[in-house]
Amino acid sequence: DIQMTQSPSSLSASVGDRVTITCRASQTIGSYLNWYQQKPGKAPKLLIYVASSLQSGVPSRFSGSGSGADFTLTISSLQPEDFATYFCQQSYSTPHSFGQGTKLEIK
Amino acid sequence: QVQLQESGPGLVKPTETLSVTCTVSDNSINSDHYWGWIRQPPGEGLEWIGSMYHDGSTYYNPSLKSRVIMSIDTSKYKFSLNLSSVTAADTAVYYCARGDFYHMDVWGKGTTVTVSS
């Protein structure tokens, strides 16, 4: 199975900050990398797929980059509604494993 | 916009079979989509259980494969997850989702299943 490792596990930031979350795969996965946002008590929401494609309806302040084994999710200017937990997921091979999550908290 | 709604037993005894159903709000269950199950133990991360195509072909997580059966009933707009021989480690919120093979863009709200005697 492919292991996905996110860093940091938690992050404190302020409204208006630029934030970057990193995801590393245990082997190359091409661009088969998704990012999800999850708020407490809610289902995950797809933000980015195939590493850099923005899901319809997702604000343009979210962006994804990377290929191979190293990927990043960037939020260009944090808004109050962005404080949540973010998960990466590889879909290069089954099982489509997730990272452990990054909790983004208000500073 | 399609909606997915999970329904489950709430409480299952150890060694029994957990059954969760996802009801799809439109006829997209008959079209070119994959239907998946993902779970999240309390306070933990997400685990991919598996996915299936509308023709019935399935892809399971090897860690669960010996205990999992997924099925689809396109006439009833439903797809289901059966997980046998459950233990406390199977306590989780179970989500159903729709997408293509590579990502899931529509999720249900989730149903909590607790395994306890």
Side-chain angles (χ1 to χ4, degrees):
Chain A
D1 296 3
I2 297 174
Q3 307 304 314
M4 306 300 294
T5 303
Q6 290 181 231
S7 60
S9 295
S10 63
L11 174 61
S12 294
S14 302
V15 173
D17 283 354
R18 180 183 180 87
V19 167
T20 296
I21 298 169
T22 297
C23 181
R24 173 166 288 178
S26 60
Q27 66 179 74
T28 184
I29 59 170
S31 295
Y32 291 97
L33 192 283
N34 308 313
W35 289 99
Y36 296 88
Q37 176 194 66
Q38 187 179 34
K39 296 181 179 179
K42 301 294 186 182
K45 172 187 175 183
L46 179 67
L47 299 176
I48 303 284
Y49 59 98
V50 288
S52 60
S53 293
L54 192 67
Q55 174 66 5
S56 175
V58 174
S60 59
R61 62 181 179 272
F62 290 92
S63 64
S65 65
S67 65
D70 293 304
F71 302 87
T72 59
L73 172 70
T74 299
I75 310 172
S76 61
S77 178
L78 271 174
Q79 299 302 300
E81 60 269 28
D82 300 336
F83 292 94
T85 300
Y86 294 84
F87 294 93
C88 63
Q89 180 201 31
Q90 65 82 20
S91 54
Y92 178 80
S93 67
T94 58
H96 291 172
S97 44
F98 292 87
Q100 81 279 15
T102 295
K103 187 174 184 179
L104 179 54
E105 298 175 305
I106 301 173
K107 183 182 288 184
Chain B
Q1 166 75 320
V2 65
Q3 293 183 328
L4 308 182
Q5 179 65 61
E6 303 88 348
S7 56
L11 181 65
V12 181
K13 290 182 169 55
T15 75
E16 294 186 343
T17 295
L18 175 164
S19 296
V20 185
T21 296
C22 185
T23 302
V24 181
S25 65
D26 67 12
N27 191 42
S28 62
I29 199 163
N30 282 302
S31 58
D32 188 22
H33 294 292
Y34 280 79
W35 305 92
W37 291 98
I38 300 95
R39 70 181 182 178
Q40 186 170 36
E44 297 186 23
L46 300 167
E47 181 178 26
W48 185 84
I49 300 172
S51 65
M52 68 184 304
Y53 194 50
H54 70 91
D55 66 358
S57 52
T58 53
Y59 304 83
Y60 296 149
N61 190 322
S63 69
L64 299 169
K65 188 174 183 178
S66 63
R67 299 194 290 129
V68 168
I69 297 176
M70 294 181 186
S71 60
I72 193 166
D73 187 337
T74 55
S75 67
K76 295 183 178 178
Y77 292 12
K78 294 179 188 290
F79 63 104
S80 300
L81 167 70
N82 278 7
L83 181 65
S84 62
S85 304
V86 297
T87 70
D90 296 309
T91 294
V93 176
Y94 285 77
Y95 295 102
C96 63
R98 187 195 82 169
D100 64 17
F101 184 73
Y102 301 102
H103 63 271
M104 293 290 164
D105 60 347
V106 180
W107 291 61
K109 293 181 179 180
T111 187
T112 299
V113 179
T114 300
V115 178
S116 175
S117 56

